[in-house]
Every structure is written in structure tokens, then in C-alpha cells.
């Protein structure tokens, strides 16, 4: 099943099979699932929820790839922090007054 089909099924209130959930987790850890697709799936779950069987399937799918997911989240947070630091530096750079050359006192 394609990730788009899984996301649409959840968005429309369907119940996901354990194989579909496992495929999403594997796609997330392997990098074949894009950030946009992961966000769309998270939003679908937020609005539609997951029943007990789906939560169990998600829990069982994550132990094999938990360290990969944690690594990806840490890398994403590092990129976000770096981006914020760059923006802050750029903002400071633009808002600081120009440096004036010291003129000799006569």
C-alpha cells in the first residue's frame, strides 16, 4: 500500500491494518516517507485518533526502529536550532548600527 493511500484511509476515518502501520514506520526510518507525508499522517491521527489495535501495532513497529527515529528527530532539532541561530545572527547583523571608523583626535 502506498503511503498516500494509508494517509487518506486514516484521514477518512478508516482503521489501519498492522502491516500499513509497520510500512509507515519503516518508511519514516528509511527516509522513503517524506516529512510532508509524516506530518499529514500525524495530523490525520490527531483528528481521527487511533484505536487500541492501531496503537498496539504502532508500539510493536517502533522498537526495531526506535533508535533510528530518535536519531532523525535529534538531527531535525539540530537543523532547526541551526536555522534559528542563523536567522538570529542575520537579524542582529541587520539591526545593529554600522561600525564607524575612529577619526584621529587633533
Amino acid at each position: 500500500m502506498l503511503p498516500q493511500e494509508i494517509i487518506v484511509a486514516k484521514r477518512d476515518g478508516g482503521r489501519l491494518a498492522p502491516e500499513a502501520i509497520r510500512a509507515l514506520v519503516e518508511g519514516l526510518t528509511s527516509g522513503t516517507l517524506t516529512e510532508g507525508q509524516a506530518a499529514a499522517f500525524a495530523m490525520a491521527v490527531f483528528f481521527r485518533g487511533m484505536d487500541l489495535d492501531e496503537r498496539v501495532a504502532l508500539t510493536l513497529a517502533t522498537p526495531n526502529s526506535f533508535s533510528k527515529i530518535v536519531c532523525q528527530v535529534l538531527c531535525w532539532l539540530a537543523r532547526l536550532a541551526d536555522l534559528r541561530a542563523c536567522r538570529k545572527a542575520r537579524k542582529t547583523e541587520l539591526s545593529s548600527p554600522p561600525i564607524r571608523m575612529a577619526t584621529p583626535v587633533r
Side-chain angles (χ1 to χ4, degrees), residues 37-85:
Q37 289 171 325
F41 178 71
M43 188 169 57
V45 168
F46 177 78
F47 286 114
R48 295 295 185 164
M50 294 180 97
D51 65 14
L52 181 61
D53 292 335
E54 290 174 320
R55 292 192 307 260
V56 168
L58 181 63
T59 303
L60 293 175
T62 52
N64 298 332
S65 53
F66 184 72
S67 61
K68 291 180 186 177
I69 292 174
V70 168
C71 182
Q72 286 182 343
V73 168
L74 290 176
C75 289
W76 181 77
L77 289 173
R79 285 190 312 215
L80 182 63
D82 186 46
L83 180 64
R84 286 184 177 169

Side-chain angles (χ1 to χ4, degrees), residues 5 13 16 23 28 30 33 44 46-47 50 84 91 94 101-102 104:
E5 295 171 346
L16 299 179
L28 184 61
S30 69
L33 190 73
F46 177 78
F47 286 114
M50 294 180 97
R84 286 184 177 169
K91 186 182 276 185
L94 294 175
M101 297 295 291

